[in-house]
Amino acid sequence: MTINFDGGLVPVIVQDATTREVLMLAYANDAALERTRETGYAHYYSRSRQKIWKKGEESGHVQRVVRILTDCDEDTILYQVEQQGAACHTGHMSCFYRTIDGEEISGRVFDPEKVYANKGE
Amino acid sequence: MTINFDGGLVPVIVQDATTREVLMLAYANDAALERTRETGYAHYYSRSRQKIWKKGEESGHVQRVVRILTDCDEDTILYQVEQQGAACHTGHMSCFYRTIDGEEISGRVFDPEKVYANKGE
């Protein structure tokens, strides 16, 4: 497949390959996708830091990529992963741990202060 | 929760509430999200047509929204839905019906030529 990067970034949905829980959304450029395919571990492009990053670089919460899917328009990617630890820097398994009304639907699985030397990833 | 629309659009991941299959990714502005919450049916903002659209308007393949989640940064939304028919205009249940190497992982559940008078939604 040819992904329509259009010179920029595409959104990457990340889903647990076993439980099918949606874990997070991030962005990738061509090089981040390439590095993911080469290494078998999820890489993204950070818009704020303007560089490629490997998920779990600091926390150890890496994502082994089991399968990469693309959508009908070839402008969105889905990584199906085995998540080490948890996906969210807040300590929750998934970044989607709250309803739009602010209700928490799942608790923390790790204490972010013990995992991150700096704030967030 | 306050979603960080930043005057623009946020990505919306759409997941089947029962099977947890990721069905599609679309975009919403404030008004599309509001209409979704008011009606209980998924609405999005079309970047190409520059207007709000209701999923299934033409095809009848509407999405009843069971739950709306937001991520840690409050700049991505997850709709958990009951999908009527199928999500993809190609006739597949999910827009993510191919691997990045082009292998189809699921067949069609409807014939798009019989469902759409015009091409796509």
Side-chain angles (χ1 to χ4, degrees), chain A residues 68-116:
Chain A
I68 304 178
L69 302 176
T70 182
D71 72 342
C72 50
D73 297 328
E74 294 162 34
D75 61 4
T76 304
I77 293 171
L78 174 61
Y79 288 170
Q80 293 180 328
V81 306
E82 285 172 3
Q83 173 72 57
Q84 283 294 312
C88 190
H89 74 282
T90 61
H92 295 83
M93 185 63 190
S94 163
C95 294
F96 297 92
Y97 63 90
R98 286 170 307 177
T99 70
I100 195 150
D101 295 316
E103 185 199 347
E104 288 207 10
I105 60 165
S106 61
R108 286 199 164 123
V109 299
F110 74 84
D111 178 350
E113 291 196 4
K114 291 193 181 138
V115 169
Y116 295 102

Short mmCIF file of all heavy atoms in Angstrom, two decimals, chain A residues 68-116:
data_model
loop_
_atom_site.label_atom_id
_atom_site.label_comp_id
_atom_site.label_asym_id
_atom_site.label_seq_id
_atom_site.Cartn_x
_atom_site.Cartn_y
_atom_site.Cartn_z
N ILE A 68 -0.06 -4.17 11.09
CA ILE A 68 -0.33 -2.78 10.68
C ILE A 68 -1.41 -2.80 9.60
O ILE A 68 -1.25 -3.44 8.57
CB ILE A 68 0.93 -2.08 10.14
CG1 ILE A 68 2.07 -2.14 11.16
CG2 ILE A 68 0.62 -0.63 9.77
CD1 ILE A 68 3.38 -1.51 10.67
N LEU A 69 -2.51 -2.09 9.87
CA LEU A 69 -3.59 -1.98 8.89
C LEU A 69 -3.67 -0.55 8.39
O LEU A 69 -3.20 0.39 9.05
CB LEU A 69 -4.92 -2.37 9.54
CG LEU A 69 -4.99 -3.78 10.16
CD1 LEU A 69 -6.34 -3.99 10.86
CD2 LEU A 69 -4.80 -4.85 9.09
N THR A 70 -4.27 -0.39 7.23
CA THR A 70 -4.53 0.96 6.73
C THR A 70 -5.99 1.05 6.31
O THR A 70 -6.64 0.02 6.08
CB THR A 70 -3.57 1.34 5.58
OG1 THR A 70 -3.84 2.68 5.17
CG2 THR A 70 -3.75 0.43 4.39
N ASP A 71 -6.52 2.25 6.24
CA ASP A 71 -7.95 2.38 5.93
C ASP A 71 -8.19 2.54 4.43
O ASP A 71 -7.24 2.59 3.63
CB ASP A 71 -8.58 3.52 6.74
CG ASP A 71 -8.16 4.89 6.26
OD1 ASP A 71 -7.14 4.99 5.54
OD2 ASP A 71 -8.84 5.87 6.59
N CYS A 72 -9.45 2.62 4.05
CA CYS A 72 -9.84 2.66 2.64
C CYS A 72 -9.18 3.81 1.89
O CYS A 72 -8.83 3.67 0.72
CB CYS A 72 -11.36 2.72 2.51
SG CYS A 72 -12.11 4.00 3.55
N ASP A 73 -9.02 4.94 2.54
CA ASP A 73 -8.42 6.11 1.90
C ASP A 73 -6.89 6.13 1.99
O ASP A 73 -6.25 7.05 1.46
CB ASP A 73 -8.92 7.41 2.56
CG ASP A 73 -10.41 7.58 2.40
OD1 ASP A 73 -10.95 7.13 1.37
OD2 ASP A 73 -11.02 8.16 3.31
N GLU A 74 -6.34 5.18 2.73
CA GLU A 74 -4.89 5.08 2.91
C GLU A 74 -4.28 6.35 3.51
O GLU A 74 -3.16 6.73 3.17
CB GLU A 74 -4.20 4.71 1.57
CG GLU A 74 -4.60 3.31 1.13
CD GLU A 74 -4.36 3.02 -0.34
OE1 GLU A 74 -3.37 3.53 -0.88
OE2 GLU A 74 -5.15 2.26 -0.95
N ASP A 75 -5.06 6.98 4.38
CA ASP A 75 -4.51 8.15 5.08
C ASP A 75 -4.65 8.05 6.59
O ASP A 75 -4.54 9.06 7.31
CB ASP A 75 -5.13 9.45 4.54
CG ASP A 75 -6.63 9.50 4.72
OD1 ASP A 75 -7.21 8.59 5.33
OD2 ASP A 75 -7.24 10.48 4.24
N THR A 76 -4.90 6.84 7.07
CA THR A 76 -4.90 6.56 8.51
C THR A 76 -4.33 5.16 8.70
O THR A 76 -4.57 4.28 7.88
CB THR A 76 -6.33 6.62 9.09
OG1 THR A 76 -6.91 7.88 8.79
CG2 THR A 76 -6.31 6.42 10.60
N ILE A 77 -3.57 4.99 9.78
CA ILE A 77 -2.93 3.72 10.07
C ILE A 77 -3.46 3.17 11.38
O ILE A 77 -3.83 3.94 12.28
CB ILE A 77 -1.39 3.92 10.14
CG1 ILE A 77 -0.84 4.31 8.75
CG2 ILE A 77 -0.68 2.69 10.66
CD1 ILE A 77 0.61 4.74 8.77
N LEU A 78 -3.52 1.85 11.49
CA LEU A 78 -3.90 1.19 12.74
C LEU A 78 -2.78 0.22 13.12
O LEU A 78 -2.47 -0.69 12.35
CB LEU A 78 -5.23 0.44 12.55
CG LEU A 78 -5.74 -0.42 13.68
CD1 LEU A 78 -6.00 0.39 14.95
CD2 LEU A 78 -7.05 -1.12 13.26
N TYR A 79 -2.16 0.48 14.29
CA TYR A 79 -1.18 -0.48 14.81
C TYR A 79 -1.90 -1.39 15.79
O TYR A 79 -2.50 -0.90 16.76
CB TYR A 79 -0.06 0.23 15.61
CG TYR A 79 0.97 1.04 14.88
CD1 TYR A 79 1.85 1.84 15.63
CD2 TYR A 79 1.13 1.02 13.51
CE1 TYR A 79 2.83 2.61 15.01
CE2 TYR A 79 2.12 1.79 12.89
CZ TYR A 79 2.96 2.58 13.64
OH TYR A 79 3.94 3.35 13.03
N GLN A 80 -1.81 -2.68 15.59
CA GLN A 80 -2.30 -3.64 16.60
C GLN A 80 -1.08 -4.13 17.34
O GLN A 80 -0.14 -4.66 16.73
CB GLN A 80 -3.07 -4.77 15.93
CG GLN A 80 -4.37 -4.22 15.30
CD GLN A 80 -5.22 -5.26 14.61
OE1 GLN A 80 -4.71 -6.24 14.06
NE2 GLN A 80 -6.53 -5.05 14.62
N VAL A 81 -1.06 -3.93 18.67
CA VAL A 81 0.18 -4.07 19.43
C VAL A 81 0.02 -4.95 20.67
O VAL A 81 -1.08 -5.15 21.17
CB VAL A 81 0.71 -2.69 19.89
CG1 VAL A 81 0.86 -1.73 18.72
CG2 VAL A 81 -0.17 -2.07 20.98
N GLU A 82 1.18 -5.43 21.13
CA GLU A 82 1.28 -5.98 22.47
C GLU A 82 1.90 -4.88 23.33
O GLU A 82 3.06 -4.52 23.13
CB GLU A 82 2.20 -7.21 22.49
CG GLU A 82 1.56 -8.43 21.88
CD GLU A 82 2.54 -9.58 21.73
OE1 GLU A 82 3.71 -9.45 22.16
OE2 GLU A 82 2.14 -10.61 21.16
N GLN A 83 1.12 -4.37 24.26
CA GLN A 83 1.56 -3.23 25.07
C GLN A 83 2.28 -3.73 26.32
O GLN A 83 1.72 -4.47 27.11
CB GLN A 83 0.33 -2.40 25.47
CG GLN A 83 0.60 -1.27 26.44
CD GLN A 83 1.36 -0.13 25.78
OE1 GLN A 83 0.92 0.43 24.80
NE2 GLN A 83 2.52 0.21 26.34
N GLN A 84 3.53 -3.30 26.49
CA GLN A 84 4.23 -3.52 27.77
C GLN A 84 3.74 -2.46 28.74
O GLN A 84 3.67 -1.28 28.36
CB GLN A 84 5.74 -3.35 27.60
CG GLN A 84 6.42 -4.52 26.95
CD GLN A 84 6.36 -5.77 27.81
OE1 GLN A 84 6.66 -5.73 29.00
NE2 GLN A 84 5.94 -6.86 27.22
N GLY A 85 3.46 -2.83 29.98
CA GLY A 85 3.03 -1.85 30.97
C GLY A 85 1.69 -1.25 30.57
O GLY A 85 0.70 -1.97 30.49
N ALA A 86 1.67 0.04 30.29
CA ALA A 86 0.43 0.72 29.93
C ALA A 86 0.75 1.79 28.90
O ALA A 86 1.88 2.26 28.81
CB ALA A 86 -0.20 1.36 31.16
N ALA A 87 -0.26 2.17 28.13
CA ALA A 87 -0.02 3.11 27.03
C ALA A 87 0.01 4.56 27.49
O ALA A 87 0.71 5.38 26.89
CB ALA A 87 -1.08 2.93 25.95
N CYS A 88 -0.74 4.91 28.51
CA CYS A 88 -0.92 6.34 28.83
C CYS A 88 0.09 6.82 29.86
O CYS A 88 0.35 6.14 30.86
CB CYS A 88 -2.34 6.59 29.33
SG CYS A 88 -2.71 8.36 29.45
N HIS A 89 0.62 8.02 29.62
CA HIS A 89 1.62 8.58 30.53
C HIS A 89 1.01 8.93 31.89
O HIS A 89 1.74 9.20 32.84
CB HIS A 89 2.29 9.81 29.91
CG HIS A 89 1.42 11.02 29.90
ND1 HIS A 89 0.42 11.20 28.97
CD2 HIS A 89 1.37 12.10 30.70
CE1 HIS A 89 -0.19 12.36 29.21
NE2 HIS A 89 0.37 12.92 30.25
N THR A 90 -0.33 8.92 31.99
CA THR A 90 -0.99 9.19 33.27
C THR A 90 -1.02 7.96 34.17
O THR A 90 -1.45 8.04 35.32
CB THR A 90 -2.46 9.62 33.05
OG1 THR A 90 -3.14 8.52 32.40
CG2 THR A 90 -2.54 10.87 32.19
N GLY A 91 -0.63 6.80 33.62
CA GLY A 91 -0.64 5.56 34.39
C GLY A 91 -1.81 4.65 34.06
O GLY A 91 -1.89 3.54 34.57
N HIS A 92 -2.70 5.11 33.18
CA HIS A 92 -3.83 4.28 32.76
C HIS A 92 -3.41 3.40 31.57
O HIS A 92 -2.55 3.78 30.78
CB HIS A 92 -5.02 5.15 32.38
CG HIS A 92 -5.58 5.93 33.53
ND1 HIS A 92 -5.05 7.13 33.96
CD2 HIS A 92 -6.62 5.67 34.36
CE1 HIS A 92 -5.75 7.58 35.00
NE2 HIS A 92 -6.70 6.71 35.27
N MET A 93 -4.06 2.24 31.48
CA MET A 93 -3.76 1.33 30.38
C MET A 93 -3.96 2.03 29.04
O MET A 93 -3.13 1.91 28.14
CB MET A 93 -4.67 0.09 30.46
CG MET A 93 -4.36 -0.97 29.44
SD MET A 93 -2.68 -1.65 29.70
CE MET A 93 -2.48 -2.63 28.22
N SER A 94 -5.08 2.74 28.91
CA SER A 94 -5.43 3.45 27.67
C SER A 94 -5.51 4.94 27.95
O SER A 94 -5.90 5.36 29.04
CB SER A 94 -6.80 2.96 27.18
OG SER A 94 -7.34 3.87 26.23
N CYS A 95 -5.16 5.74 26.94
CA CYS A 95 -5.36 7.20 27.06
C CYS A 95 -6.84 7.55 27.13
O CYS A 95 -7.21 8.62 27.61
CB CYS A 95 -4.73 7.91 25.86
SG CYS A 95 -2.93 7.75 25.83
N PHE A 96 -7.70 6.63 26.65
CA PHE A 96 -9.14 6.89 26.66
C PHE A 96 -9.75 6.30 27.93
O PHE A 96 -10.47 5.31 27.89
CB PHE A 96 -9.79 6.29 25.40
CG PHE A 96 -9.28 6.92 24.14
CD1 PHE A 96 -8.19 6.38 23.46
CD2 PHE A 96 -9.85 8.08 23.65
CE1 PHE A 96 -7.70 6.97 22.31
CE2 PHE A 96 -9.36 8.68 22.49
CZ PHE A 96 -8.28 8.13 21.82
N TYR A 97 -9.43 6.92 29.06
CA TYR A 97 -9.88 6.37 30.34
C TYR A 97 -11.02 7.19 30.94
O TYR A 97 -11.45 6.92 32.05
CB TYR A 97 -8.71 6.27 31.33
CG TYR A 97 -8.07 7.58 31.69
CD1 TYR A 97 -8.52 8.33 32.78
CD2 TYR A 97 -7.01 8.09 30.94
CE1 TYR A 97 -7.94 9.54 33.10
CE2 TYR A 97 -6.44 9.31 31.26
CZ TYR A 97 -6.90 10.03 32.34
OH TYR A 97 -6.34 11.24 32.64
N ARG A 98 -11.51 8.19 30.20
CA ARG A 98 -12.61 9.03 30.70
C ARG A 98 -13.69 9.21 29.65
O ARG A 98 -13.40 9.35 28.46
CB ARG A 98 -12.08 10.44 31.04
CG ARG A 98 -11.26 10.51 32.30
CD ARG A 98 -10.60 11.86 32.38
NE ARG A 98 -9.86 12.13 31.14
CZ ARG A 98 -9.22 13.27 30.89
NH1 ARG A 98 -9.23 14.24 31.78
NH2 ARG A 98 -8.56 13.42 29.76
N THR A 99 -14.94 9.29 30.12
CA THR A 99 -16.02 9.67 29.21
C THR A 99 -15.94 11.18 29.00
O THR A 99 -15.25 11.90 29.73
CB THR A 99 -17.41 9.36 29.80
OG1 THR A 99 -17.64 10.25 30.89
CG2 THR A 99 -17.51 7.93 30.28
N ILE A 100 -16.69 11.63 28.01
CA ILE A 100 -16.70 13.06 27.70
C ILE A 100 -17.32 13.86 28.85
O ILE A 100 -17.12 15.08 28.94
CB ILE A 100 -17.41 13.30 26.35
CG1 ILE A 100 -17.11 14.70 25.86
CG2 ILE A 100 -18.89 13.03 26.44
CD1 ILE A 100 -17.08 14.85 24.40
N ASP A 101 -18.03 13.19 29.74
CA ASP A 101 -18.57 13.88 30.92
C ASP A 101 -17.62 13.82 32.10
O ASP A 101 -17.96 14.26 33.20
CB ASP A 101 -19.92 13.26 31.29
CG ASP A 101 -20.96 13.51 30.20
OD1 ASP A 101 -21.03 14.63 29.68
OD2 ASP A 101 -21.68 12.56 29.84
N GLY A 102 -16.42 13.27 31.88
CA GLY A 102 -15.39 13.32 32.92
C GLY A 102 -15.37 12.13 33.87
O GLY A 102 -14.58 12.09 34.80
N GLU A 103 -16.20 11.13 33.60
CA GLU A 103 -16.22 9.94 34.45
C GLU A 103 -15.05 9.02 34.10
O GLU A 103 -14.86 8.69 32.92
CB GLU A 103 -17.55 9.20 34.23
CG GLU A 103 -17.75 8.01 35.15
CD GLU A 103 -18.82 7.04 34.62
OE1 GLU A 103 -19.56 7.42 33.68
OE2 GLU A 103 -18.88 5.91 35.12
N GLU A 104 -14.28 8.62 35.09
CA GLU A 104 -13.17 7.68 34.83
C GLU A 104 -13.73 6.26 34.72
O GLU A 104 -14.45 5.81 35.60
CB GLU A 104 -12.13 7.74 35.95
CG GLU A 104 -11.33 9.02 35.92
CD GLU A 104 -9.93 8.88 36.53
OE1 GLU A 104 -9.49 7.75 36.80
OE2 GLU A 104 -9.28 9.92 36.72
N ILE A 105 -13.38 5.58 33.64
CA ILE A 105 -13.92 4.23 33.43
C ILE A 105 -12.90 3.16 33.76
O ILE A 105 -13.20 1.98 33.73
CB ILE A 105 -14.44 4.05 31.98
CG1 ILE A 105 -13.31 4.26 30.97
CG2 ILE A 105 -15.59 5.00 31.69
CD1 ILE A 105 -13.63 3.77 29.58
N SER A 106 -11.66 3.56 34.06
CA SER A 106 -10.66 2.57 34.48
C SER A 106 -9.59 3.26 35.33
O SER A 106 -9.32 4.44 35.16
CB SER A 106 -10.01 1.90 33.27
OG SER A 106 -9.36 2.87 32.49
N GLY A 107 -9.01 2.48 36.24
CA GLY A 107 -8.02 3.03 37.17
C GLY A 107 -6.61 3.02 36.60
O GLY A 107 -6.39 2.61 35.46
N ARG A 108 -5.67 3.47 37.42
CA ARG A 108 -4.26 3.45 37.02
C ARG A 108 -3.68 2.06 37.17
O ARG A 108 -4.04 1.33 38.09
CB ARG A 108 -3.46 4.40 37.91
CG ARG A 108 -3.72 5.85 37.57
CD ARG A 108 -2.59 6.73 38.11
NE ARG A 108 -2.65 8.03 37.46
CZ ARG A 108 -2.78 9.19 38.11
NH1 ARG A 108 -2.79 9.24 39.41
NH2 ARG A 108 -2.84 10.31 37.41
N VAL A 109 -2.75 1.74 36.28
CA VAL A 109 -2.03 0.47 36.44
C VAL A 109 -0.57 0.72 36.84
O VAL A 109 0.13 -0.22 37.18
CB VAL A 109 -2.11 -0.42 35.18
CG1 VAL A 109 -3.56 -0.80 34.87
CG2 VAL A 109 -1.49 0.24 33.97
N PHE A 110 -0.12 1.98 36.76
CA PHE A 110 1.20 2.31 37.31
C PHE A 110 1.19 3.74 37.83
O PHE A 110 0.28 4.53 37.51
CB PHE A 110 2.32 2.07 36.29
CG PHE A 110 2.41 3.08 35.17
CD1 PHE A 110 3.10 4.28 35.32
CD2 PHE A 110 1.83 2.82 33.93
CE1 PHE A 110 3.19 5.20 34.28
CE2 PHE A 110 1.91 3.73 32.89
CZ PHE A 110 2.59 4.93 33.07
N ASP A 111 2.18 4.05 38.64
CA ASP A 111 2.31 5.38 39.21
C ASP A 111 3.30 6.17 38.35
O ASP A 111 4.49 5.87 38.33
CB ASP A 111 2.85 5.26 40.65
CG ASP A 111 3.06 6.62 41.28
OD1 ASP A 111 2.99 7.64 40.58
OD2 ASP A 111 3.33 6.65 42.50
N PRO A 112 2.81 7.18 37.62
CA PRO A 112 3.68 7.88 36.67
C PRO A 112 4.91 8.52 37.34
O PRO A 112 5.96 8.62 36.70
CB PRO A 112 2.78 8.93 36.03
CG PRO A 112 1.52 8.96 36.82
CD PRO A 112 1.42 7.68 37.56
N GLU A 113 4.79 8.90 38.59
CA GLU A 113 5.94 9.54 39.25
C GLU A 113 7.09 8.55 39.45
O GLU A 113 8.24 8.95 39.57
CB GLU A 113 5.52 10.13 40.60
CG GLU A 113 4.61 11.33 40.40
CD GLU A 113 4.48 12.19 41.64
OE1 GLU A 113 5.15 11.90 42.64
OE2 GLU A 113 3.69 13.14 41.59
N LYS A 114 6.74 7.28 39.51
CA LYS A 114 7.79 6.26 39.69
C LYS A 114 8.40 5.83 38.36
O LYS A 114 9.46 5.21 38.33
CB LYS A 114 7.23 5.03 40.41
CG LYS A 114 6.87 5.33 41.85
CD LYS A 114 6.62 4.07 42.65
CE LYS A 114 6.25 4.41 44.08
NZ LYS A 114 5.16 3.59 44.60
N VAL A 115 7.70 6.13 37.27
CA VAL A 115 8.13 5.62 35.96
C VAL A 115 8.86 6.67 35.14
O VAL A 115 9.82 6.37 34.44
CB VAL A 115 6.91 5.06 35.19
CG1 VAL A 115 7.26 4.77 33.74
CG2 VAL A 115 6.39 3.80 35.88
N TYR A 116 8.40 7.90 35.26
CA TYR A 116 8.99 8.95 34.44
C TYR A 116 9.87 9.87 35.28
O TYR A 116 9.43 10.40 36.30
CB TYR A 116 7.92 9.82 33.78
CG TYR A 116 7.08 9.05 32.78
CD1 TYR A 116 5.80 8.62 33.12
CD2 TYR A 116 7.58 8.74 31.52
CE1 TYR A 116 5.02 7.91 32.21
CE2 TYR A 116 6.81 8.04 30.61
CZ TYR A 116 5.54 7.63 30.96
OH TYR A 116 4.78 6.93 30.07
#
